[in-house]
Amino acid sequence: MSAAASSDGIINSGNVSAVHHLASAASAFVVDFSRYARMDGIAAAALITLSASLEGAGLLLLVPILDSLIGQNGASGWIGHYVVPWLTWVGLLTRPAKLAGLFSLFAVIVVLRGAAVWKRDVLITQLRVGFVERQRNRLVARLASAPWSHLSRISHAQVNHLLSSDIVLTGSCVHFMLQSAVSLCLLAVQCVIAFLCAPVLAAMVSLFVVGALVTLLPQLVTARRLGAAVVEGNLILSASCARFLGGLKLAARQDVQSRFVAEFGDTLGRITQPQIDMVRAQGRTQFLFGVLSALLGGGAIFVGLVFFNMPPSLLVLFVLVIARMSSPAVQLQQCAPQFVNTLASYEKIQAFATSLPDAQAQPAPMPASPLQAWHCLRFDNDSY
């Protein structure tokens, strides 16, 4: 019993440590991106918030529209109490006039949201591309300023892998981070709308959402471990491909071609299998989330009708919000592990750039003594 308890404690402490390292790496990435984005980042955050708020306003406007369609006076909850006097104040007294005014306002909101989403996506793409190019230029500058004595010991495969594959994965990391921010903002706005419609039912839904987010933590830790393994495996594969013909010629001379091919295939297996495992885990989690969301929506309808006697328009809006919450929730569930998975490439680039010394920090070479034509040259501890 004590051994099991100690084992559980080790596992728990290991998970806490992994979460702490993950939070540190993610915060360093966010800080680096924020220093690059500056005012454009603030504008992107404002557009993300604006597009989510306009979507929420459009959903809230469905309540008086549904009330007018089913023949009520548009007074379902506080939404109707605010909208109906406004319609009367602008002179929309008949049912067709109210519907025309409400649909016109809804169309304006849809157009404004479409424009905000368009500007948001363009600005997000510009930030992602610019941040990636900044990382590539910074790495090239560090390589150019490093002394030759250090550069000569770096393999070409490592540099090619950093400047190609790891840089591309860093761009994917930015994409997944920004998409996660969009999903979180949408979830926050939709949770507010759910609380405005039915506070008690919304509290139940919020507990479910919080529980789903908590269950993401083990998946994030696993994604980080798999991401680091994939980065290392890709580097090994890149080096193996660079030396493939030379290794194959050497294997042919020693008559061990089958062993060489088996080792190459084993390297490929170590790269592909973790990716398949992560996709399988994500698919299983998405399936469970979809089933629970359907059960939650059906239970909310039953509780709202039987126990709270909610108006039909508010109940329809609440169910619509619950249904729409599943899309950003699933997107967050997909993007967060991918962000953590690709974060290892960014860490690899930063660690490599930090390890490069500056040429100015190296001692100046000794001046060469003049050589006569008949003197011998001796190379000692030289490398290329």
Side-chain angles (χ1 to χ4, degrees):
M1 179 68 69
S2 60
S6 61
S7 176
D8 292 340
I10 293 174
I11 293 174
N12 292 332
S13 62
N15 288 336
V16 171
S17 177
V19 171
H20 174 71
H21 288 301
L22 172 59
S24 300
S27 61
F29 180 82
V30 172
V31 168
D32 191 12
F33 180 79
S34 300
R35 288 174 179 171
Y36 163 76
R38 297 183 182 270
M39 296 305 299
D40 288 339
I42 297 176
L47 288 172
I48 290 173
T49 305
L50 178 62
S51 60
S53 301
L54 288 174
E55 180 175 352
L59 289 174
L60 288 175
L61 199 60
L62 291 178
V63 174
I65 290 177
L66 290 174
D67 285 336
S68 298
L69 289 175
I70 63 179
Q72 293 188 5
N73 294 324
S76 294
W78 67 271
I79 303 174
H81 289 294
Y82 279 101
V83 173
V84 171
W86 176 79
L87 294 175
T88 304
W89 181 73
V90 297
L92 303 177
L93 302 178
T94 62
R95 181 184 176 189
K98 291 179 180 179
L99 283 174
L102 290 172
F103 278 119
S104 299
L105 182 59
F106 185 79
V108 171
I109 292 175
V110 170
V111 172
L112 291 177
R113 180 184 177 274
V117 170
W118 172 57
K119 293 292 293 182
R120 179 200 72 189
D121 292 343
V122 171
L123 187 54
I124 283 177
T125 302
Q126 291 176 349
L127 289 174
R128 176 178 59 82
V129 174
F131 183 76
V132 170
E133 291 307 315
R134 182 196 182 204
Q135 297 297 317
R136 182 181 281 113
N137 293 333
R138 189 161 61 180
L139 181 59
V140 170
R142 289 290 297 165
L143 286 169
S145 63
W148 174 251
S149 60
H150 189 87
L151 291 177
S152 61
R153 294 191 294 268
I154 301 175
S155 66
H156 289 190
Q158 183 180 8
V159 176
N160 291 336
H161 189 267
L162 288 170
L163 290 175
S164 57
S165 178
D166 285 333
I167 288 291
V168 172
L169 289 177
T170 300
S172 300
C173 188
V174 177
H175 170 75
F176 291 128
M177 180 191 68
L178 295 175
Q179 290 301 318
S180 298
V182 172
S183 301
L184 279 175
C185 191
L186 284 174
L187 278 176
V189 171
Q190 291 168 357
C191 284
V192 170
I193 296 175
F195 270 101
L196 294 176
C197 294
V200 178
L201 295 179
M204 298 169 53
V205 175
S206 299
L207 291 176
F208 171 74
V209 173
V210 171
L213 293 178
V214 170
T215 57
L216 270 179
L217 289 178
Q219 190 175 353
L220 294 180
V221 173
T222 303
R224 174 175 169 79
R225 185 178 67 251
L226 295 180
V230 169
V231 168
E232 292 296 331
N234 283 333
L235 179 58
I236 295 174
L237 183 61
S238 180
S240 299
C241 290
R243 299 190 299 263
F244 181 78
L245 287 179
L248 189 59
K249 292 177 182 178
L250 182 61
R253 291 174 184 174
Q254 299 177 359
D255 198 20
V256 290
Q257 296 94 325
S258 59
R259 179 180 171 185
F260 176 79
V261 173
E263 291 179 356
F264 196 81
D266 183 63
T267 303
L268 287 174
R270 288 200 304 270
I271 297 174
T272 57
Q273 190 58 42
Q275 297 175 340
I276 295 174
D277 293 340
M278 189 176 68
V279 171
R280 184 181 292 111
Q282 286 182 349
R284 182 171 59 250
T285 305
Q286 290 174 16
F287 172 75
L288 294 176
F289 185 82
V291 172
L292 291 177
S293 298
L295 294 176
L296 184 63
I301 295 175
F302 177 79
V303 173
L305 285 175
V306 176
F307 295 98
F308 295 99
N309 195 23
M310 292 176 59
S313 56
L314 283 180
L315 187 60
V316 169
L317 177 60
F318 183 81
V319 175
L320 179 61
V321 169
I322 296 300
R324 291 185 65 87
M325 285 176 65
S326 61
S327 178
V330 170
Q331 187 176 20
L332 179 63
Q333 196 176 33
Q334 292 176 345
C335 291
Q338 292 293 340
F339 164 72
V340 174
N341 186 267
T342 53
L343 187 61
S345 296
Y346 170 79
E347 294 180 280
K348 191 77 173 179
I349 294 173
Q350 299 306 310
F352 178 80
T354 305
S355 66
L356 292 175
D358 293 328
Q360 294 78 6
Q362 301 296 317
M366 296 295 294
S369 58
L371 293 175
Q372 302 297 329
W374 56 85
H375 284 183
C376 297
L377 295 178
R378 178 184 177 185
F379 294 93
D380 191 10
N381 293 327
D382 289 329
S383 62
Y384 176 72

